[in-house]
Amino acid sequence: MASQNTPAFNKILYAPLAEIDPEVKNIIDKETWRQFTGLELIASENLTSQATMEANGSILTNKYSEGLPNARYYGGNEYIDELELLCRKRALEAFHLDASKWGVNVQPYSGSTANFAALTALIQPQDRLMGLGLPDGGHLTHGYYTAKKKMTASSIYFQSLPYGIIPESGLIDYDKLEAQAKIYKPRLIICGASAYPRDWDYARLRQIADKEGAWLMADIAHTSGLIAAQELNSPFDYCDVVTTTTHKTLRGPRAGLIFYRKDLENAKDLEKRVNDAVFPACQGGPHNNTIAAIATALKQVASPEWKAYAKQVVANARALAETLVGHGYKLQTGGTDNHLVLWDLRPIGLTGSKVEKVCDLMGITINKNAVSGDASAQVPGGIRLGTSALTSRDMREEDVKQVAEFLHRAVQISLTLQKEAGTKLLKDFVRVATTKEEGKVGYEQVSQLREEVQAFAKRFPLPGVDTQNLQRPEGLHEYH
């Protein structure tokens, strides 16, 4: 706290947020209420622990530490070095890796920056890469482009060719990938996805990469927590570089990791290339508070309880998928091996945008998503669902089946709203969903389901929040 001699211009440094910035405090309170009274089903989101949030909000945010442990550009980093070395050690332990065979850089600010740093380390500008196409479940950072525009840095600075899935099964078409690679001769093959509900054949991908003399990189951002729990195949047995975010199934803060092989002929060169690509090539000083939070989260991942959590995430995803299939809905690949479900809405005449919007009004958070065969990722025909966050709120299969019933009702209400709108325009759909009109029932159905969802969600705890004493904040949007 401030001393008697603290000058007026510094007293602001000791005031709590509620006093110094009530507007921001109110926004945080409203977001806390939204998370508590809603159901989080976005597959790329999770709920981190109280301990991780404490580390992320710590005094470590004050320190600048460009460079690597014992080789910094600033002084006063003896404890930052200790922290970063601990985080590296825990990252290798979490994924059961031998420190003589694998190294890791824990400084990336996000999964996207981790991926671009990995590309910078592995290949040269305008070299060729192959990644899963976005409409088939791939990610923007794996070389995505459209007929009119190169969308991300991975396609702007490198040449890319997407591989795809078998239309009938929705599974990766490894045979076609091999045939494409034989002609295209990529320098890098990326395996990984943001909306692929099945596991990967890393051994087959290694064979293809070896035939063409290509690097093999896995982006396990979505599945890293399940891989650490040994619930899915491990890419570390076959890949040269593995990247991941830390906030999805890994349940940490928002950041990224890059793992690299140390037992290759050019191991020292690869290690230096990865580290140099992170800093100074792609970013500045690391966020030490976030590295502390990563270390805390990784300690949890290495605990005996983690495997049980990961098993429950997968069991919940399968329960969600089975319940939706039981209602006659179409899922890409017909089910799931991991934490996510990709729901194809085209057979019933809805878009992902409309279902996302109506679910938002009900307190169910999902995201619209392209499904295989969509003409444009900007107008997706499906939605992506994930069970990581629900599982972090103590939900099990029976609870998730109830969530699936809410989703079923939300889709049926969406069909009613679309009919009452009289057009297929999203703005008309939203109007009838949010406005009470004579002779139309969609608005009332939305309101009724919203009350049921909120009552259900309030039964479960929210990590890091004292929900027993949580007060409804001022200024909530009307539908909250």
Side-chain angles (χ1 to χ4, degrees):
M1 58 190 301
S3 72
Q4 290 182 341
N5 297 323
T6 298
F9 61 76
N10 273 344
K11 288 184 178 178
I12 193 173
L13 298 176
Y14 300 90
L17 180 63
E19 176 184 323
I20 209 67
D21 196 343
E23 289 177 277
V24 167
K25 178 62 164 62
N26 175 251
I27 291 171
I28 293 172
D29 290 344
K30 289 187 290 189
E31 173 61 15
T32 302
W33 185 261
R34 185 195 70 82
Q35 291 188 26
F36 174 52
T37 61
L39 299 172
E40 182 56 69
L41 280 98
I42 292 179
S44 55
E45 295 190 12
N46 205 340
L47 308 175
T48 197
S49 66
Q50 178 176 332
T52 297
M53 286 190 274
E54 287 178 10
N56 209 24
S58 69
I59 201 168
L60 295 170
T61 195
N62 293 344
K63 190 71 191 90
Y64 228 128
S65 55
E66 288 179 350
L68 295 168
N70 303 312
R72 304 288 187 179
Y73 288 79
Y74 292 89
N77 274 296
E78 58 268 33
Y79 301 118
I80 298 302
D81 287 355
E82 183 179 344
L83 171 67
E84 187 166 334
L85 291 172
L86 176 64
C87 189
R88 289 185 193 175
K89 178 175 177 287
R90 288 183 177 178
L92 297 177
E93 289 172 349
F95 289 92
H96 317 283
L97 300 176
D98 184 339
S100 68
K101 296 181 178 179
W102 282 92
V104 60
N105 189 301
V106 301
Q107 294 188 7
Y109 300 152
S110 70
S112 294
T113 55
N115 279 350
F116 192 72
L119 297 184
T120 301
L122 293 173
I123 57 179
Q124 295 296 308
Q126 297 309 312
D127 274 354
R128 295 176 175 183
L129 65 86
M130 293 180 68
L132 182 63
L134 190 71
D136 290 335
H139 192 261
L140 289 167
T141 60
H142 299 174
Y144 178 63
Y145 59 90
T146 69
K148 295 182 178 180
K149 185 177 181 181
K150 293 182 176 182
M151 301 296 291
T152 67
S154 58
S155 61
I156 293 170
Y157 296 107
F158 307 99
Q159 298 183 60
S160 65
L161 177 70
Y163 58 88
I165 60 176
I166 302 167
E168 295 76 19
S169 66
L171 302 176
I172 301 293
D173 193 337
Y174 294 101
D175 290 339
K176 189 172 181 180
L177 192 169
E178 183 172 12
Q180 287 177 301
K182 186 175 182 179
I183 297 170
Y184 191 63
K185 302 297 181 187
R187 288 290 297 125
L188 170 68
I189 296 175
I190 303 174
C191 49
S194 65
Y196 184 63
R198 298 297 180 178
D199 208 347
W200 288 76
D201 187 348
Y202 298 110
R204 179 74 187 279
L205 288 160
R206 179 77 265 171
Q207 292 174 353
I208 297 169
D210 285 345
K211 282 183 180 179
E212 307 309 330
W215 294 101
L216 182 61
M217 169 182 146
D219 175 358
I220 59 170
H222 265 273
T223 56
S224 55
L226 308 180
I227 290 169
Q230 300 177 312
E231 290 298 302
L232 293 175
N233 296 331
S234 174
F236 295 97
D237 297 330
Y238 302 99
C239 294
D240 303 303
V241 167
V242 177
T243 66
T244 183
T245 53
T246 53
H247 58 273
K248 299 185 178 92
T249 52
L250 213 55
R251 204 160 67 174
R254 302 188 66 85
L257 304 172
I258 305 175
F259 296 87
Y260 50 87
R261 292 283 295 271
K262 293 174 66 176
D263 58 348
L264 301 174
E265 289 184 13
N266 59 344
K268 286 294 182 183
D269 178 54
L270 179 59
E271 180 174 25
K272 187 177 189 311
R273 285 161 65 179
V274 169
N275 288 333
D276 287 351
V278 175
F279 171 82
C282 291
Q283 61 182 53
H287 297 171
N288 297 304
N289 54 314
T290 304
I291 290 175
I294 296 169
T296 298
L298 290 171
K299 183 179 182 180
Q300 297 167 13
V301 173
S303 71
E305 294 81 12
W306 185 262
K307 190 172 183 65
Y309 167 71
K311 281 182 176 292
Q312 191 63 55
V313 169
V314 176
N316 284 348
R318 287 175 173 160
L320 177 65
E322 290 166 5
T323 306
L324 294 175
V325 169
H327 282 295
Y329 295 118
K330 180 183 178 182
L331 306 181
Q332 193 147 306
T333 78
T336 184
D337 292 330
N338 54 35
H339 66 299
L340 68 83
V341 171
L342 191 56
W343 188 355
D344 188 349
L345 298 166
R346 294 171 303 181
I348 57 174
L350 285 172
T351 64
S353 302
K354 289 179 179 177
V355 176
E356 177 188 295
K357 177 60 67 174
V358 80
C359 282
D360 250 351
L361 296 173
M362 297 170 179
I364 303 174
T365 311
I366 62 176
N367 69 274
K368 56 186 176 292
N369 207 96
V371 288
S372 182
D374 273 342
S376 169
Q378 309 303 315
V379 188
I383 56 175
R384 185 185 63 168
L385 308 170
T387 56
S388 299
L390 297 183
T391 310
S392 293
R393 291 192 70 181
D394 299 350
M395 295 189 198
R396 297 178 183 269
E397 290 95 327
E398 289 306 311
D399 304 308
V400 171
K401 288 177 183 177
Q402 178 58 63
V403 173
E405 292 300 329
F406 288 147
L407 289 166
H408 166 57
R409 288 171 58 190
V411 165
Q412 296 306 306
I413 292 171
S414 296
L415 290 170
T416 298
L417 292 169
Q418 183 166 272
K419 183 178 180 181
E420 291 182 341
T423 74
K424 290 197 173 183
L425 297 177
L426 181 61
K427 65 176 184 178
D428 293 326
F429 179 88
V430 172
R431 175 180 53 78
V432 296
T434 56
T435 307
K436 189 173 183 178
E437 297 182 26
E438 189 69 30
K440 295 185 177 180
V441 300
Y443 172 82
E444 298 294 343
Q445 292 176 344
V446 170
S447 300
Q448 173 62 37
L449 186 51
R450 178 169 63 245
E451 291 179 7
E452 293 181 41
V453 167
Q454 290 184 348
F456 177 81
K458 287 179 183 179
R459 290 167 38 194
F460 299 92
L462 183 66
V465 177
D466 177 10
T467 57
Q468 295 297 317
N469 297 304
L470 191 63
Q471 299 294 316
R472 181 185 174 93
E474 297 293 328
L476 289 168
H477 290 175
E478 184 180 347
Y479 56 83
H480 285 290

